[in-house]
Amino acid sequence: MVFGVEEKDVDAFQRRFAKVVNFGLAYGMEAYGLGQRLGVPTEEAREILDNYFASFPSVKAFMDSTVREAKQRGYTTTIFGRRRQITELSSDNFRIRQMGERMAQNAPVQGSAADVFKLAMVELDRALDGAGLRARMILTVHDELVLEVPLDEREKVEPLVQEVMESVCTLKVPLVVDLGFGPTWAEAK
């Protein structure tokens, strides 16, 4: 939608570009920062943001309402009700207040993602134990979970991981898990 092309026709550059825009918005990035990240002039970055918000007006409305509510309450909440205090929103210092607004935009999205991930880890640990498998979680890196899986358990572990992680909660959009296997984390990617 960002480039006005069919999903199947999106190339690697366009995908990276769109990801920078999406993640940048989640972190409260404005035109100058986006331009720096993408290597384009600030004016072009501002146009990208304007087009994005024109295409997805509910995103802008959500961001604005999240900041407004956080200013009133002094905190944001995740979809599971976990609170994040944001005292910066009431600062006399403009820059600190701006930082608080970026935090208020980010906290519900990132916090909710973290909540879902933690729930999935707890459920997956229970499922692996319950199935009597030797596979175990050994590491998390951002939004990735690394498991050590004996080769003879791979056919049992793969569908179990997918089922548990994709069904840990019900959202308006489906949770999708990508799996990779290999003798090292790098090779599994």
Side-chain angles (χ1 to χ4, degrees):
M1 292 180 78
V2 171
F3 291 100
V5 299
E6 293 292 322
E7 186 176 346
K8 64 180 177 47
D9 297 326
V10 173
D11 63 32
F13 171 79
Q14 291 170 324
R15 177 174 167 71
R16 186 188 71 76
F17 198 95
K19 283 178 78 171
V20 169
V21 172
N22 280 322
F23 284 112
L25 290 173
Y27 286 100
M29 188 182 299
E30 296 186 4
Y32 176 78
L34 181 62
Q36 293 293 303
R37 281 283 182 98
L38 295 173
V40 299
T42 301
E43 299 76 32
E44 186 177 338
R46 188 177 329 284
E47 188 177 320
I48 291 167
L49 290 177
D50 291 346
N51 290 340
Y52 183 95
F53 288 133
S55 297
F56 304 103
S58 59
V59 172
K60 179 71 169 150
F62 170 77
M63 292 168 67
D64 292 344
S65 70
T66 299
V67 172
R68 193 171 43 254
E69 289 172 16
K71 284 180 178 178
Q72 292 170 353
R73 298 185 300 203
Y75 63 87
T76 61
T77 59
T78 67
I79 58 175
F80 293 100
R82 190 166 49 89
R83 289 184 181 186
R84 165 86 189 272
Q85 298 291 82
I86 306 178
T87 57
E88 292 84 355
L89 290 169
S90 59
S91 174
D92 291 335
N93 184 305
F94 176 74
R95 288 186 182 271
I96 292 174
R97 231 178 16 260
Q98 274 191 317
M99 180 178 67
E101 290 179 5
R102 289 190 300 273
M103 291 165 64
Q105 289 174 346
N106 175 263
V109 175
Q110 288 293 108
S112 295
D115 289 351
V116 170
F117 195 67
K118 289 174 193 171
L119 287 171
M121 288 174 61
V122 169
E123 289 303 315
L124 182 57
D125 188 56
R126 286 184 187 145
L128 292 169
D129 283 346
L133 296 165
R134 298 181 322 273
R136 61 190 177 114
M137 291 181 279
I138 59 170
L139 180 68
T140 64
V141 181
H142 301 294
D143 62 348
E144 294 184 29
L145 182 57
V146 180
L147 281 75
E148 184 175 71
V149 180
L151 290 176
D152 64 330
E153 290 185 359
R154 178 178 172 177
E155 288 185 20
K156 292 179 184 173
V157 171
E158 181 176 0
L160 181 69
V161 168
Q162 193 132 23
E163 166 62 27
V164 168
M165 293 188 80
E166 289 184 349
S167 66
V168 72
C169 68
T170 303
L171 303 172
K172 290 182 180 178
V173 296
L175 291 172
V176 178
V177 174
D178 293 320
L179 299 172
F181 290 91
T184 67
W185 177 45
E187 291 178 64
K189 293 180 85 148

